[in-house]
Amino acid sequence: MKIDIGISEKNRDAINTGLQKLLADTYVLYFKTHSYHWNVTGPQFNTLHLMFQTQYNELWLSIDLIAERIRSLGFFAPSSSGHLGKLTSIQEENAVPNADDMIRQLVAGHETVIRTARALLPAADEGGDEVTLDLLTQRLEVHEKTAWMLRSMLEAGKA
């Protein structure tokens, strides 16, 4: 059935393209965060283990919101690791880094998601897609705050 939600097909397609990239970046960041939760060691173990758990739970919920927005615009959400891997800008991790490197990589991952979300703002604005704009604003707030908190963990010993 043809979609008539007040956003042109051209604009919906442009927004979908950006949302698919956002979904891929978010999913890879979720997986990386969850992996670090399982594998963190060292004196910060308990703090980081719990922090990473909070972060991956939040990311997991956001994945569904992003995918459902893609569906609401009339497109299918990418649903294979291969497809997501082609869309993401975040490097997957095959090794188990030390705790500080985990934090650095997560900061970089959140900053990547922030840039991906910001890059989508003009397309959503041009299309008059307030729902996607709201979603992006919420995601930006979460990722900017999380990146700040993670950076603060690295700066704690530098006083």
Side-chain angles (χ1 to χ4, degrees):
M1 182 172 184
K2 185 173 166 117
I3 295 175
D4 185 13
I5 59 173
I7 303 171
S8 73
E9 185 174 341
K10 177 185 170 194
N11 287 333
R12 283 187 301 107
D13 186 53
I15 295 163
N16 169 59
T17 298
L19 284 171
Q20 286 198 17
K21 185 168 176 40
L22 182 64
L23 179 66
D25 284 351
T26 304
Y27 198 90
V28 172
L29 182 58
Y30 157 78
F31 190 75
K32 185 177 275 198
T33 305
H34 205 154
S35 171
Y36 290 172
H37 163 79
W38 292 328
N39 294 308
V40 68
T41 60
Q44 298 182 78
F45 170 80
N46 196 49
T47 300
L48 292 177
H49 184 73
L50 294 173
M51 178 186 276
F52 294 163
Q53 181 175 17
T54 299
Q55 291 172 3
Y56 78 69
N57 282 328
E58 194 285 327
L59 288 164
W60 180 252
L61 295 174
S62 73
I63 288 167
D64 199 50
L65 295 173
I66 298 164
E68 288 179 354
R69 185 63 196 147
I70 292 168
R71 294 296 296 133
S72 295
L73 292 170
F75 300 91
F76 288 106
S79 57
S80 73
S81 59
H83 192 181
L84 293 167
K86 290 176 185 171
L87 294 170
T88 189
S89 300
I90 297 175
Q91 292 288 329
E92 290 192 88
E93 178 61 55
N94 293 320
V96 178
N98 67 44
D100 283 351
D101 286 340
M102 286 179 178
I103 295 169
R104 282 184 193 90
Q105 287 192 35
L106 292 179
V107 168
H110 283 279
E111 289 176 347
T112 297
V113 174
I114 291 164
R115 290 188 303 274
T116 299
R118 282 195 195 291
L120 177 52
L121 286 168
D125 189 43
E126 182 180 319
D129 186 354
E130 292 83 4
V131 175
T132 298
L133 287 168
D134 183 54
L135 174 66
L136 293 172
T137 301
Q138 291 177 41
R139 298 312 314 146
L140 284 166
E141 181 180 11
V142 168
H143 290 287
E144 287 180 357
K145 184 175 181 179
T146 302
W148 156 60
M149 290 182 168
L150 289 165
R151 279 191 302 271
S152 295
M153 296 282 304
L154 293 172
E155 295 171 7
K158 296 182 179 179

